[in-house]
Amino acid sequence: MEALDYHAEERRKAEFDVEEMKIVWAGSRHAYEVSDRVARIVASDPVFQKDNRTMLSRKDLFKDTLKKAAHAWKRIIELRLSEEEATELRFFVDQPAYTDLHWGMFVPAIKGQGTEEQQKKWLPMAYKMQIIGCYAQTELGHGSNVQGLETTATFDPQTDEFIIHSPTLTSSKWWPGGLGKVSTHAVVYARLITDGQDYGVHGFIVQLRSLDDHLPLPGITVGDIGMKFGSGAYNSMDNGLLRFDHVQIPRDQMLMRLSQVTREGKYMPSDVPRQLVYGTMVYVRQTIVSDASSALSKAVCIATRYSAIRRQFGSQNGGPETQVINYKTQQNRLFPLLASAYAFRFVGEWLKWLYTDVTERLQANDFSTLPEAHACTAGLKSITTTATADAIEECRKLCGGHGYLSSSGLPELFAVYVPACTYEGDNVVLLLQVARFLMKTVSQLGSGKKPVGTTAYMGRAEHLMQCSCDVQRAEDWLNPSVIVEAFEARALRMSVACAQSLSKFSNPEEGFAELSPNLVEAAVAHCQLIVVSKFIEKLQQDIPGKGVKRQLEILCNVYALYLVHKHLGDFVSTGSITPKQGALANEQLRSLYSQVRPNAIALVDAFNYTDHFLSSILGRYDGNVYAKLYEAAWKDPLNDSVVPDGYHDYVKPLLRQQLITARL
Amino acid sequence: MEALDYHAEERRKAEFDVEEMKIVWAGSRHAYEVSDRVARIVASDPVFQKDNRTMLSRKDLFKDTLKKAAHAWKRIIELRLSEEEATELRFFVDQPAYTDLHWGMFVPAIKGQGTEEQQKKWLPMAYKMQIIGCYAQTELGHGSNVQGLETTATFDPQTDEFIIHSPTLTSSKWWPGGLGKVSTHAVVYARLITDGQDYGVHGFIVQLRSLDDHLPLPGITVGDIGMKFGSGAYNSMDNGLLRFDHVQIPRDQMLMRLSQVTREGKYMPSDVPRQLVYGTMVYVRQTIVSDASSALSKAVCIATRYSAIRRQFGSQNGGPETQVINYKTQQNRLFPLLASAYAFRFVGEWLKWLYTDVTERLQANDFSTLPEAHACTAGLKSITTTATADAIEECRKLCGGHGYLSSSGLPELFAVYVPACTYEGDNVVLLLQVARFLMKTVSQLGSGKKPVGTTAYMGRAEHLMQCSCDVQRAEDWLNPSVIVEAFEARALRMSVACAQSLSKFSNPEEGFAELSPNLVEAAVAHCQLIVVSKFIEKLQQDIPGKGVKRQLEILCNVYALYLVHKHLGDFVSTGSITPKQGALANEQLRSLYSQVRPNAIALVDAFNYTDHFLSSILGRYDGNVYAKLYEAAWKDPLNDSVVPDGYHDYVKPLLRQQLITARL
Ligand SMILES: Cc1cc2nc3c(=O)[nH]c(=O)nc-3n(C[C@H](O)[C@H](O)[C@H](O)COP(=O)(O)OP(=O)(O)OC[C@H]3O[C@@H](n4cnc5c(N)ncnc54)[C@H](O)[C@@H]3O)c2cc1C
Ligand SMILES: Cc1cc2nc3c(=O)[nH]c(=O)nc-3n(C[C@H](O)[C@H](O)[C@H](O)COP(=O)(O)OP(=O)(O)OC[C@H]3O[C@@H](n4cnc5c(N)ncnc54)[C@H](O)[C@@H]3O)c2cc1C
Ligand SMILES: [Ca+2]
């Protein structure tokens, strides 16, 4: 029997080699093979099944998560998976768990901030998961403003210990993932106080629970902070609260790579440059950008496949109705998101390179590119996560009513994704940091100091302030250098306009505060330029495979022209393009949609996602949507009985007009 | 003991009479008094408590909903509430239930489409809730395209009955609220077939369940369609599926006001004008716009109050940090949403008037304003619900990490609200209808046919196509006639540009399809003009109360200038304003924020929402956020035990390196 494939016709239409595109998407043949193999291992394992997740109670969901985490670890050991493979396995298990924080924050914090000795002591235990750790920074009262944390770590020279204490309600640790129910240890951030002086926030390794019976150690109050957005979603995570009542820890559990406290209680900065910590930040944010492309591509894959199955209106002479993917409004909402998924993928790949570059420079004591790298990763984290969160919800709306069902996969994807806009730096706070960096760069333009990396274009300020866009016909917008120049002119002119407005304030901080909405927009313009440029640079590489490069060129143009249309006000009011050119961009964009259309299904197939990973009936590879929706409905607990629980108490007396006399 | 009020200082700052503003918000003193009284009745009743809703399993949530619905009905009877009061009571109970569809769709469908005889037979039972009904239109395969429904109602002259049947899987009814578990009856939409001919979709009253034991009647398969977005939220509703296997109903259960089938099986249109059905549509959409202002104002109330409590950064000399509501970026995100809540409130109020007007005209057989009223309500439904859905999520983000907790109230508000973008007409499909109407209006401009109502401005095309905006200084933007002209010019020019592009296509339908993204934007511009105009018209009324009108003028300007900035590309590229004028608008907007700031808390207090209704710790009236967040966390079932379920099976063996040997 032939396998059912409602998308077969669509797949035949593709004008490029999907297998080759899979490799481009994965980043390399090796990466493709690893992820393909590991994804199948996960998908075929009944323990990792997740299609009933949104129906579980909090407790059952949490227990299920513990089971999956243990099983994942077991499989990692049994299959002798490499670190790369183990990371992929956790990725495909696709259920937030304490292990994310253990591997993603606890271990890196010790690596980045611990001395060699400390690393030698703690890392082997962490690697074997003999201890489980989390990252306890945020408090009830302070998140963005890390310097305002209130937890104290007071050195007691008598005992050679730090006393960790929560002096106020708002100093309670609040949010750390994995803290609430699982972690045995935490890296706790607290104000270091020694000899009566407050040296600001530092990291400390603190044991929270007994390794014998898992009970909290004396002086420690720990628990879960409660339900979060959605069903399933991030509720599998035990984000926790934590209070200390004068908890003592040995002095050597302060992470001492960057500064130390001596036996006598003297505070000493080490000779390791402080900038080193930026390396970790670049690393973490790079993973967030790459996660953005994953989440976005999942949503786009679901909406694209369903849009090809869904038919509504337009039947002619009793024939089939129009696939909704053929409506230009649907394309205008969907295809730019498809293009964004690819754009974020490639900028994420570039950030991996940037991280290596930064690391090598740090090792050579070259800190010159750090501020730029730091601003760039902060900005890219911000714009890609904001765009992805919005896009997931748009994809849900693109699926009409059925997108509102949990079984579409989109509600849970949204709920689990949106905190990425908040953690690792609130997106607006991050853009303000980028803006600060841009203002500094602009102010130094005259000084002969050459802007580097992603700000290099600012060095061509003279040209960019007065150049005009050459587009005369719609097709002229297909020229990459035309696009880049328009984005550069827009970004630079917005920054310069802000700098000019700022200079009118006698107090620059006041000016910055007053103009902050404009500054945020200038930062967005700068960051969008980076994404567009990196996409274009990617296309300058050799990309094998029939038609593959051609498709990517189309998507790159879609992404850029979509932004031109979306931010037309910026482009036109800075004079970077004329209204007429804006209209031509939009015209060109519409005609590109027709080129994307026949390749749309193949372009999402290239993500190579298993049905397990997508966990969406609307996004099924075979397109068998209706039969499976119908089947899934019956699994809801409400359908256990035809007459619902509560009928006799609350419906029957109402129908019979016996409510007043009934005892409810 | 004085009541705790962390907002006391903020409340003192208000420059207007909050009690008078409450009356403006409610619409009248009478409406204020009713809603105030009923809200308190609900808030003080333990049965209506809802703060643990997101923690309930689907079954428990549903049972809780049945209980609340029965209790609400009991209280309505006991307190002898009027229809107005009863509606308010259900509104404040604030938990989607089958009663919404019974009162909101089933009863109106019979009223609108039933003959007098049919109304006499069915309405008394429905009014007493001796039967419970739902509205069964959408099928698995068809939602937007109602004419494509597949369920059949075939007349059998032998028995004088219709045979209702689901011929395909995709013909299964799917989505109707209240259908899955509760409704005893439904208005079912099906293709009427008599004498071998298909007369298209008509409504039929069908009994689904036995009134004795609530079991489905023979031939009927009915169930719930499963979990939807979020926890709590719309999962309290039994959206259902329904299949018919040749179910027979008497002929007189076809709703026969607009057309009839005789005893002999002859199809006969009645002499009642078909346009009458539009009245109901205007009514339903008017309620949706008013719901938009409610949902939006809830979200804004929460985010505004919390933004005044939350302090982050900016401590000087150890003093308190800056309230985040003082950051211009926060204001720039929040205050336009506050202004939108008021804007939507007033346009909703105007729609109520429009409904009365349409009804009166219909009774006088005057159908002249119907197409315009229809387009206008469709468009307003679309833009207000889209804006509200986006705004709720923005309000959540404005609350930083804590906005992600269920106890902030915002996740559930979002999840329960978003389907409003899809039901009662998918928002994009609706805008395409508006665009069609606009194109028709433009095409008739030369013909001497005067555009009426909300399109009257198009009659001044000659002026609006060539006028230029007079703004020279930022304050010039405070002039309402300047604003209206700019919005009119933008809207008209976008419509005319679309019409001109359309005229280049030999096939107008092809042109419409190709240009649909532009057409949708023109429709949005038109609808935004309506909201802005109605806000301005409202301000031409007498509005008593110290400072009340002044505040509303500020909010009206904020709303309009926010739109100018957001859609700057439209305004500038149509030449409705210059880039310089766009920058002045933005400058004026920022300075308006400073005027909103001291009144922000009072402006959300004016919504007069109880803490029960808001159901948000961040939005508490007294601002006691941190202590209550901490308290609430402990109620999560995960905190029932210090050591979590699953520790012994899944965590301990992992920590002890005994996973491989453990039986998981
Ligand atoms: C799912 C999730 C997981 C998390 N995991 C962890 C974890 O493992 N460990 C950990 O330590 N923490 C964790 N956090 C906490 C997270 O890091 C913080 O929530 C985040 O840093 C944002 O800080 P905040 O909540 O204080 O937001 P706030 O700073 O309070 O933001 C509130 C509002 O104020 C605005 N604002 C703040 N400052 C400024 C300013 N200077 N200028 C203009 N506007 C401003 C923001 O833009 C926002 O709109 C997690 C959070 C979430 C939601
Ligand atoms: C919570 C909820 C409650 C509901 N309650 C009820 C109820 O009580 N009774 C009932 O009968 N129904 C109910 N519905 C169903 C609801 O009315 C439909 O979901 C709605 O009409 C949208 O139709 P659809 O789902 O078929 O979307 P589709 O039409 O399939 O939309 C899918 C996509 O196609 C696009 N599209 C469709 N047609 C066109 C076109 N011509 N041009 C361009 N784009 C197009 C849409 O914009 C959308 O992006 C409910 C739905 C929900 C979510
Ligand atoms: Ca003028």
Side-chain angles (χ1 to χ4, degrees):
Chain A
M1 205 187 87
E2 228 183 306
L4 181 76
D5 183 3
Y6 288 101
H7 287 304
E9 172 72 21
E10 290 287 339
R11 293 190 165 113
R12 266 194 296 275
K13 279 195 245 170
E15 299 158 326
F16 68 97
D17 183 336
V18 182
E19 294 306 312
E20 287 292 333
M21 187 67 92
K22 288 183 180 172
I23 291 165
V24 177
W25 176 263
S28 70
R29 182 168 299 274
H30 168 77
Y32 166 72
E33 281 167 1
V34 170
S35 86
D36 185 64
R37 182 159 39 81
V38 176
R40 284 167 205 271
I41 291 172
V42 174
S44 63
D45 191 325
V47 176
F48 295 134
Q49 178 260 350
K50 57 178 172 147
D51 53 11
N52 70 338
R53 194 161 56 184
T54 58
M55 282 186 258
L56 299 180
S57 73
R58 181 86 206 280
K59 262 183 162 166
D60 288 342
L61 175 66
F62 189 68
K63 195 167 169 186
D64 174 71
T65 309
L66 296 182
K67 181 177 182 176
K68 283 177 176 161
H71 189 65
W73 190 228
K74 189 177 170 191
R75 296 299 289 152
I76 287 167
I77 297 167
E78 285 172 348
L79 299 167
R80 297 170 199 274
L81 297 190
S82 67
E83 203 183 313
E84 180 193 12
E85 291 164 331
T87 306
E88 284 287 291
L89 187 124
R90 280 190 291 269
F91 173 77
F92 284 117
V93 168
D94 189 40
Q95 188 153 313
Y98 64 90
T99 42
D100 300 352
L101 284 301
H102 176 80
W103 295 107
M105 299 291 285
F106 180 70
V107 166
I110 296 175
K111 271 189 179 171
Q113 293 158 49
T115 60
E116 261 177 52
E117 216 178 338
Q118 289 177 317
Q119 298 192 30
K120 248 187 225 144
K121 173 171 175 194
W122 295 99
L123 289 181
M125 289 188 283
Y127 286 149
K128 283 189 247 158
M129 299 204 86
Q130 289 169 308
I131 60 174
I132 298 172
C134 67
Y135 185 88
Q137 179 174 299
T138 305
E139 298 172 355
L140 202 39
H142 288 90
S144 298
N145 182 13
V146 178
Q147 296 314 317
L149 294 176
E150 297 176 86
T151 304
T152 51
T154 310
F155 183 64
D156 179 358
Q158 307 234 288
T159 57
D160 196 19
E161 287 174 333
F162 285 104
I163 299 158
I164 313 283
H165 187 60
S166 309
T168 60
L169 174 70
T170 47
S171 74
S172 312
K173 292 292 170 192
W174 189 272
W175 272 118
L179 166 64
K181 293 285 145 185
V182 181
S183 290
T184 60
H185 289 67
V187 171
V188 171
Y189 290 84
R191 316 196 72 79
L192 191 166
I193 295 167
T194 180
D195 214 6
Q197 197 171 332
D198 181 335
Y199 288 93
V201 174
H202 290 71
F204 301 82
I205 300 178
V206 184
Q207 181 171 351
L208 306 175
R209 292 175 174 265
S210 151
L211 290 173
D212 289 331
D213 55 13
H214 210 62
L215 287 175
L217 296 181
I220 284 179
T221 306
V222 63
D224 185 273
I225 61 171
M227 281 286 285
K228 293 154 297 216
F229 204 148
S231 50
Y234 219 81
N235 290 301
S236 57
M237 182 70 85
D238 55 332
N239 293 91
L241 62 86
L242 171 63
R243 288 185 60 77
F244 300 99
D245 183 4
H246 300 93
V247 171
Q248 296 165 316
I249 60 164
R251 179 169 55 91
D252 70 1
Q253 284 178 213
M254 168 183 168
L255 290 171
M256 298 228 201
R257 185 164 178 210
L258 298 175
S259 47
Q260 286 139 34
V261 167
T262 65
R263 178 63 191 89
E264 294 74 36
K266 213 169 121 48
Y267 181 80
M268 309 228 303
S270 88
D271 48 5
V272 176
R274 296 198 69 82
Q275 286 94 330
L276 275 184
V277 290
Y278 284 120
T280 319
M281 239 177 195
V282 173
Y283 174 74
V284 171
R285 289 188 181 148
Q286 164 253 306
T287 63
I288 293 186
V289 171
S290 133
D291 288 348
S293 76
S294 301
L296 177 50
S297 54
K298 273 172 106 165
V300 163
C301 181
I302 295 167
T304 303
R305 285 183 181 161
Y306 179 63
S307 293
I309 294 296
R310 185 67 171 175
R311 293 171 179 272
Q312 206 75 189
F313 296 104
S315 157
Q316 258 146 16
N317 312 320
E321 292 167 90
T322 307
Q323 294 165 287
V324 298
I325 198 175
N326 289 339
Y327 291 117
K328 272 275 134 92
T329 45
Q330 193 85 352
Q331 296 177 2
N332 189 47
R333 295 156 70 199
L334 180 58
F335 291 168
L337 308 182
L338 171 60
S340 304
Y342 277 91
F344 295 173
R345 190 74 181 179
F346 297 140
V347 82
E349 209 172 72
W350 172 76
L351 278 174
K352 261 183 217 146
W353 169 86
L354 183 74
Y355 173 62
T356 329
D357 183 62
V358 163
T359 312
E360 278 169 13
R361 283 171 192 266
L362 284 176
Q363 275 155 2
N365 269 330
D366 167 7
F367 306 125
S368 63
T369 61
L370 259 187
E372 185 265 321
H374 184 249
C376 152
T377 51
L380 289 174
K381 184 272 178 185
S382 177
I383 70 160
T384 57
T385 55
T386 296
T388 296
D390 292 349
I392 295 170
E393 172 60 8
E394 185 67 15
C395 285
R396 197 192 60 68
K397 291 203 182 94
L398 282 161
C399 296
H402 301 343
Y404 191 61
L405 285 169
S406 293
S407 58
S408 79
L410 292 163
E412 198 185 13
L413 185 57
F414 183 79
V416 81
Y417 188 75
V418 286
C421 298
T422 306
Y423 56 55
E424 287 303 313
D426 169 274
N427 280 354
V428 172
V429 174
L430 290 178
L431 288 174
L432 288 168
Q433 293 173 10
V434 177
R436 221 170 256 285
F437 173 71
L438 292 174
M439 290 309 98
K440 198 170 164 191
T441 308
V442 170
S443 74
Q444 294 175 338
L445 279 184
S447 76
K449 196 176 167 209
K450 274 229 151 161
V452 294
T454 56
T455 51
Y457 72 101
M458 293 184 143
R460 286 177 285 114
E462 218 161 311
H463 170 69
L464 291 172
M465 288 305 290
Q466 50 77 25
C467 66
S468 63
C469 173
D470 292 333
V471 166
Q472 289 183 312
R473 298 160 313 150
E475 309 86 77
D476 295 340
W477 273 114
L478 300 178
N479 183 341
S481 59
V482 164
I483 290 178
V484 171
E485 192 178 81
F487 274 82
E488 287 180 345
R490 165 206 181 209
L492 183 75
R493 292 175 194 192
M494 289 174 76
S495 275
V496 168
C498 283
Q500 283 168 346
S501 304
L502 271 177
S503 68
K504 290 177 196 144
F505 286 79
S506 53
N507 177 338
E509 277 313 304
E510 231 170 64
F512 194 89
E514 176 65 24
L515 296 172
S516 55
N518 304 32
L519 284 157
V520 162
E521 290 176 7
V524 168
H526 170 71
C527 297
Q528 289 177 342
L529 163 65
I530 301 176
V531 182
V532 168
S533 306
K534 296 304 158 196
F535 203 151
I536 289 175
E537 278 175 26
K538 171 83 191 177
L539 295 174
Q540 281 150 5
Q541 295 171 15
D542 214 27
I543 301 176
K546 174 184 159 261
V548 171
K549 192 173 198 162
R550 178 85 199 97
Q551 287 308 312
L552 294 176
E553 282 165 356
I554 294 169
L555 290 175
C556 180
N557 282 316
V558 167
Y559 180 69
L561 296 183
Y562 148 74
L563 289 180
V564 168
H565 185 65
K566 186 169 173 199
H567 298 275
L568 189 61
D570 289 357
F571 283 92
V572 171
S573 67
T574 53
S576 307
I577 69 171
T578 65
K580 171 81 193 151
Q581 289 167 334
L584 291 173
N586 206 23
E587 202 178 293
Q588 182 57 50
L589 182 56
R590 277 206 320 270
S591 99
L592 288 167
Y593 292 156
S594 307
Q595 295 179 51
V596 174
R597 170 63 190 92
N599 298 292
I601 296 297
L603 284 168
V604 301
D605 283 350
F607 305 146
N608 199 38
Y609 292 147
T610 61
D611 279 346
H612 169 272
F613 185 59
L614 281 180
S615 197
S616 163
I617 292 178
L618 304 188
R620 287 172 63 93
Y621 184 83
D622 66 8
N624 187 19
V625 167
Y626 296 117
K628 294 295 176 177
L629 276 178
Y630 191 83
E631 212 177 290
W634 294 107
K635 293 186 192 142
D636 193 278
L638 261 195
N639 288 326
D640 287 354
S641 61
V642 192
V643 173
D645 260 22
Y647 164 74
H648 290 282
D649 288 339
Y650 307 122
V651 181
K652 195 170 159 189
L654 181 145
L655 287 167
R656 304 258 167 102
Q657 322 291 296
Q658 295 163 340
L659 266 189
I660 302 294
T661 48
R663 283 185 306 132
L664 286 191
Chain B
M1 207 187 89
E2 227 184 308
L4 180 77
D5 183 4
Y6 288 101
H7 288 303
E9 172 73 21
E10 289 287 339
R11 293 190 166 114
R12 267 193 296 274
K13 279 195 246 171
E15 299 158 326
F16 68 97
D17 183 336
V18 182
E19 294 307 312
E20 288 292 333
M21 187 66 93
K22 287 183 182 172
I23 291 165
V24 177
W25 176 263
S28 70
R29 183 169 300 273
H30 167 78
Y32 166 72
E33 282 167 0
V34 169
S35 86
D36 186 64
R37 183 160 38 81
V38 176
R40 283 166 205 271
I41 292 172
V42 174
S44 62
D45 191 325
V47 176
F48 294 133
Q49 177 261 351
K50 58 179 172 146
D51 53 10
N52 69 338
R53 194 162 55 186
T54 58
M55 283 185 257
L56 299 180
S57 73
R58 180 86 204 280
K59 262 184 162 166
D60 288 342
L61 175 66
F62 189 68
K63 195 168 170 185
D64 174 70
T65 309
L66 296 182
K67 181 177 183 176
K68 283 177 176 160
H71 189 65
W73 190 228
K74 189 177 171 190
R75 296 299 290 151
I76 287 167
I77 296 167
E78 286 173 347
L79 299 168
R80 299 170 199 273
L81 298 189
S82 67
E83 203 184 313
E84 181 192 13
E85 292 164 330
T87 306
E88 284 286 291
L89 186 125
R90 280 189 291 268
F91 173 76
F92 285 116
V93 169
D94 189 40
Q95 187 152 315
Y98 64 90
T99 43
D100 300 352
L101 284 300
H102 176 81
W103 295 107
M105 299 290 285
F106 181 70
V107 166
I110 296 175
K111 271 189 179 170
Q113 293 157 50
T115 61
E116 261 176 51
E117 215 178 338
Q118 289 177 315
Q119 299 191 29
K120 247 187 228 146
K121 173 170 175 193
W122 295 98
L123 289 181
M125 290 189 283
Y127 286 149
K128 283 189 247 158
M129 299 204 86
Q130 289 170 307
I131 60 174
I132 298 171
C134 67
Y135 185 88
Q137 179 175 298
T138 306
E139 298 172 354
L140 202 41
H142 288 90
S144 298
N145 181 14
V146 178
Q147 296 315 318
L149 294 176
E150 297 176 86
T151 303
T152 52
T154 310
F155 183 63
D156 178 357
Q158 306 233 287
T159 56
D160 196 21
E161 288 175 331
F162 286 104
I163 298 158
I164 314 283
H165 187 60
S166 309
T168 59
L169 174 70
T170 48
S171 74
S172 311
K173 292 293 170 192
W174 188 272
W175 273 118
L179 165 64
K181 293 285 147 185
V182 181
S183 290
T184 60
H185 290 66
V187 171
V188 171
Y189 290 84
R191 316 196 72 79
L192 191 168
I193 295 167
T194 180
D195 213 7
Q197 197 170 331
D198 181 335
Y199 288 93
V201 174
H202 288 72
F204 301 82
I205 300 179
V206 184
Q207 181 171 352
L208 306 176
R209 291 174 175 268
S210 151
L211 290 173
D212 289 332
D213 56 13
H214 210 61
L215 287 174
L217 296 182
I220 285 179
T221 305
V222 63
D224 185 273
I225 60 171
M227 282 286 286
K228 292 154 299 217
F229 204 146
S231 50
Y234 219 82
N235 291 300
S236 56
M237 183 70 85
D238 54 333
N239 293 91
L241 62 85
L242 171 62
R243 288 184 60 78
F244 300 100
D245 183 3
H246 299 93
V247 171
Q248 295 166 319
I249 61 165
R251 180 168 55 91
D252 69 2
Q253 285 178 214
M254 168 182 168
L255 290 171
M256 298 226 200
R257 186 163 178 210
L258 298 176
S259 47
Q260 287 137 35
V261 168
T262 65
R263 177 64 190 87
E264 295 73 37
K266 212 168 121 49
Y267 181 80
M268 309 228 303
S270 88
D271 48 6
V272 176
R274 297 198 69 81
Q275 287 95 329
L276 276 184
V277 291
Y278 284 120
T280 320
M281 239 178 195
V282 173
Y283 174 75
V284 172
R285 289 186 182 151
Q286 164 254 305
T287 63
I288 293 187
V289 171
S290 133
D291 289 348
S293 77
S294 301
L296 178 50
S297 54
K298 273 173 107 166
V300 162
C301 182
I302 295 167
T304 303
R305 286 185 180 159
Y306 179 64
S307 294
I309 294 296
R310 185 68 171 174
R311 292 171 180 272
Q312 206 76 188
F313 296 105
S315 158
Q316 258 144 17
N317 313 319
E321 292 166 272
T322 307
Q323 294 164 286
V324 298
I325 198 174
N326 288 339
Y327 292 116
K328 272 275 135 92
T329 45
Q330 193 85 353
Q331 297 177 1
N332 189 47
R333 294 156 70 198
L334 180 59
F335 292 169
L337 307 183
L338 172 60
S340 304
Y342 277 91
F344 296 172
R345 190 74 182 179
F346 297 140
V347 82
E349 210 171 71
W350 172 76
L351 278 175
K352 260 182 220 148
W353 169 85
L354 184 73
Y355 172 63
T356 329
D357 183 62
V358 163
T359 312
E360 279 170 12
R361 284 171 192 267
L362 285 176
Q363 276 155 4
N365 269 329
D366 166 8
F367 306 124
S368 63
T369 62
L370 260 187
E372 184 265 322
H374 184 248
C376 153
T377 51
L380 290 175
K381 183 273 178 184
S382 177
I383 71 160
T384 58
T385 55
T386 296
T388 297
D390 292 350
I392 296 169
E393 171 60 8
E394 185 66 15
C395 285
R396 198 193 59 69
K397 291 204 182 93
L398 282 160
C399 296
H402 301 344
Y404 191 60
L405 284 169
S406 293
S407 58
S408 79
L410 292 163
E412 198 185 12
L413 185 56
F414 183 79
V416 82
Y417 188 74
V418 286
C421 298
T422 305
Y423 58 54
E424 287 303 312
D426 169 274
N427 279 355
V428 171
V429 174
L430 290 178
L431 288 175
L432 288 168
Q433 292 174 10
V434 176
R436 219 169 258 284
F437 172 71
L438 292 175
M439 290 308 99
K440 198 170 163 192
T441 308
V442 170
S443 75
Q444 294 174 339
L445 278 183
S447 76
K449 195 174 168 209
K450 273 227 154 170
V452 294
T454 55
T455 50
Y457 72 100
M458 292 185 143
R460 288 177 285 113
E462 218 161 312
H463 170 70
L464 291 173
M465 289 305 291
Q466 51 77 26
C467 66
S468 64
C469 173
D470 293 333
V471 166
Q472 290 182 312
R473 297 160 315 150
E475 310 85 78
D476 295 340
W477 273 114
L478 299 177
N479 184 342
S481 58
V482 164
I483 289 178
V484 171
E485 192 178 80
F487 274 82
E488 287 180 345
R490 165 207 181 209
L492 183 76
R493 292 175 193 193
M494 289 174 77
S495 275
V496 168
C498 283
Q500 283 168 346
S501 303
L502 270 178
S503 68
K504 289 178 197 142
F505 285 80
S506 53
N507 178 337
E509 278 312 304
E510 230 171 64
F512 195 89
E514 176 64 24
L515 297 172
S516 56
N518 304 32
L519 284 157
V520 162
E521 290 177 7
V524 168
H526 170 72
C527 297
Q528 289 177 343
L529 163 65
I530 301 176
V531 182
V532 168
S533 306
K534 296 304 158 195
F535 203 151
I536 289 175
E537 278 174 26
K538 171 84 190 175
L539 295 174
Q540 282 151 5
Q541 295 172 17
D542 213 28
I543 301 176
K546 175 185 159 261
V548 171
K549 191 172 199 165
R550 178 84 199 97
Q551 288 308 312
L552 294 176
E553 282 166 355
I554 293 169
L555 290 176
C556 179
N557 282 317
V558 167
Y559 180 68
L561 297 183
Y562 148 73
L563 289 180
V564 168
H565 184 65
K566 186 170 172 198
H567 298 274
L568 189 61
D570 289 357
F571 284 92
V572 170
S573 67
T574 54
S576 307
I577 69 171
T578 64
K580 170 81 191 151
Q581 288 168 334
L584 291 172
N586 205 25
E587 203 178 291
Q588 183 56 51
L589 183 56
R590 277 206 319 270
S591 99
L592 288 167
Y593 293 156
S594 308
Q595 296 179 50
V596 174
R597 171 62 191 91
N599 298 292
I601 295 298
L603 283 168
V604 302
D605 282 351
F607 305 146
N608 199 39
Y609 292 147
T610 61
D611 279 346
H612 168 272
F613 185 59
L614 280 180
S615 197
S616 163
I617 292 178
L618 304 188
R620 286 173 64 92
Y621 183 83
D622 67 7
N624 186 18
V625 166
Y626 297 117
K628 294 295 176 176
L629 277 178
Y630 192 83
E631 214 177 288
W634 293 107
K635 294 186 192 141
D636 193 278
L638 261 195
N639 287 327
D640 287 353
S641 61
V642 192
V643 173
D645 260 24
Y647 164 75
H648 290 281
D649 287 339
Y650 307 123
V651 180
K652 195 169 160 188
L654 180 146
L655 287 165
R656 305 259 167 102
Q657 322 290 296
Q658 295 162 341
L659 265 190
I660 301 294
T661 48
R663 282 185 307 132
L664 286 190

